[in-house]
Amino acid sequence: MGERVGAALLIAFGGPDRMEDVRPFLANVLRGRPVPPARIEEVVRHYEEIGGRSPLTELTFRQAAALQEQLRQAGVALPVHVGMRNWSPYLHETLACLAGEGVRRAVGLILAPHQSEASWTNYQESVAEARGRIGPQAPEVEYTPPWFDHPLFIEAMADRTAEALAQVPEARRERAPLVFTAHSIPVAMAEASPYVEQLTTSARLVARRLGRSAWSIVYQSRSGSPREPWLEPDIGDALRALAAEGATDVVVVPIGFVCDHVEVLWDLDIYARGIATQAGLGFHRAPTANDHPVFVRMMADLVRTCLEA
């Protein structure tokens, strides 16, 4: 049967904890790709506008603590660690710590609902690179299966969406469309992955659970060359179109993200909200999963399934 699993590992993007970390963090994310300095400074200003830090690391550690407690209550004494791709604690730091504690196998849970090169493959490559840095003592990491359609993920996001729907004035609530949003990626990358199919499934299941027939999928946070086609429609264009069609409110559901970070707190709460306001739309944003107890139960179910395999 091999070595016993000795830890669970939450694998996330990472985020700067203070303003002076923002530029080094962005340098890690870009990894030498040629991005105009003006664009980098624009993103730096986004961080300034949301308070100079990302809450992603703090929230991921809260998820880890809640998962460890959920497992403990189920009789599974398994420590839960956090490893980040782009900031501390880096994956190689966490895996080195596990190796030092004698852990030879870990269950890895990638905190991205939908699979693409950017969201899953790059994380797995980063784990492989981190293990290579550590050497023969590096723990083996076996991954949980995709969870875009896991019933508990759908339940958690339906509950988050219901929170936002409750903000819409009752007389207009039934007419408010759900706008599910996820990170745009290059069309070529999307065509080589199940990203759009999985995203559509997640959105359809959440809308069905809430009995909502008016829903759509949009994309946000595009980067890269303007000459390269990326997934559309952009959320700004979609909001303007809904207003032109007579919508009075929208409920934006960040189904592609599991923690608050700059692409939720700025791209949605500031940029998209501003467009909606200019268009005369009531803007109501559903919270991300964060440490919602049902989402934590989902993570525990995924880990336990791996342990029992």
Side-chain angles (χ1 to χ4, degrees):
M1 295 294 291
E3 296 278 353
R4 179 179 63 87
V5 171
L9 174 66
L10 297 189
I11 302 166
F13 191 81
D17 300 311
R18 51 187 182 167
M19 196 62 219
E20 51 263 48
D21 294 335
V22 170
R23 286 184 178 84
F25 166 74
L26 293 176
N28 281 350
V29 173
L30 296 173
R31 286 172 167 78
R33 292 195 297 274
V35 174
R39 172 57 183 161
I40 295 173
E41 292 308 308
E42 181 182 1
V43 177
V44 170
R45 289 193 295 274
H46 295 173
Y47 276 99
E48 290 174 342
E49 290 184 49
I50 67 168
R53 62 183 293 273
S54 170
L56 185 143
T57 301
E58 175 188 342
L59 288 166
T60 307
F61 272 96
R62 277 168 44 184
Q63 290 172 329
L67 172 57
Q68 184 168 309
E69 175 60 18
Q70 183 75 37
L71 290 169
R72 186 195 67 79
Q73 292 178 12
V76 179
L78 193 72
V80 180
H81 295 257
V82 170
M84 302 290 190
R85 183 165 181 257
N86 296 296
W87 201 247
S88 181
Y90 291 102
L91 283 162
H92 68 86
E93 296 172 335
T94 301
L95 289 174
C97 177
L98 293 178
E101 295 172 359
V103 173
R104 302 306 303 272
R105 290 176 65 210
V107 173
L109 200 167
I110 297 173
L111 290 173
H114 310 107
Q115 291 177 289
S116 72
E117 177 185 338
S119 60
W120 273 58
T121 305
N122 287 349
Y123 285 99
Q124 292 173 324
E125 290 175 349
S126 293
V127 169
E129 179 185 0
R131 294 185 69 242
R133 291 178 63 169
I134 296 164
Q137 297 304 309
E140 176 187 353
V141 178
E142 49 194 83
Y143 297 95
T144 67
W147 43 270
F148 64 97
D149 59 350
H150 193 292
L152 294 177
F153 174 59
I154 301 305
E155 180 182 344
M157 289 311 299
D159 189 58
R160 292 301 203 198
T161 305
E163 291 181 44
L165 277 166
Q167 299 169 9
V168 182
E170 188 172 1
R172 307 199 304 262
R173 193 173 300 155
E174 283 304 312
R175 301 193 307 275
L178 305 183
V179 177
F180 294 94
T181 182
H183 205 300
S184 186
I185 60 175
V187 169
M189 183 188 295
E191 290 176 344
S193 74
Y195 185 76
V196 173
E197 179 184 359
Q198 291 180 352
L199 174 60
T200 303
T201 297
S202 297
R204 183 179 66 250
L205 291 174
V206 170
R208 179 187 299 168
R209 186 179 180 92
L210 293 170
R212 310 291 293 197
S213 59
W215 61 275
S216 60
I217 293 173
V218 306
Y219 298 94
Q220 62 170 90
S221 311
R222 179 199 163 120
S223 59
S225 169
R227 295 182 297 276
E228 182 180 23
W230 282 51
L231 292 176
E232 296 179 340
D234 175 76
I235 188 169
D237 296 334
L239 292 175
R240 295 184 189 98
L242 285 169
E245 293 165 7
T248 56
D249 299 88
V250 291
V251 173
V252 173
V253 185
I255 194 85
F257 307 98
V258 299
C259 274
D260 291 342
H261 61 304
V262 70
E263 287 163 341
V264 174
L265 301 178
W266 195 91
D267 293 9
L268 294 182
D269 290 355
I270 295 177
Y271 170 74
R273 184 185 297 275
I275 290 174
T277 299
Q278 290 174 358
L281 284 172
F283 184 90
H284 312 275
R285 199 262 292 172
T288 53
N290 289 330
D291 55 349
H292 190 294
V294 177
F295 184 70
V296 173
R297 283 171 50 206
M298 183 212 75
M299 293 193 293
D301 182 69
L302 291 170
V303 171
R304 291 174 64 188
T305 298
C306 281
L307 295 176
E308 293 165 2

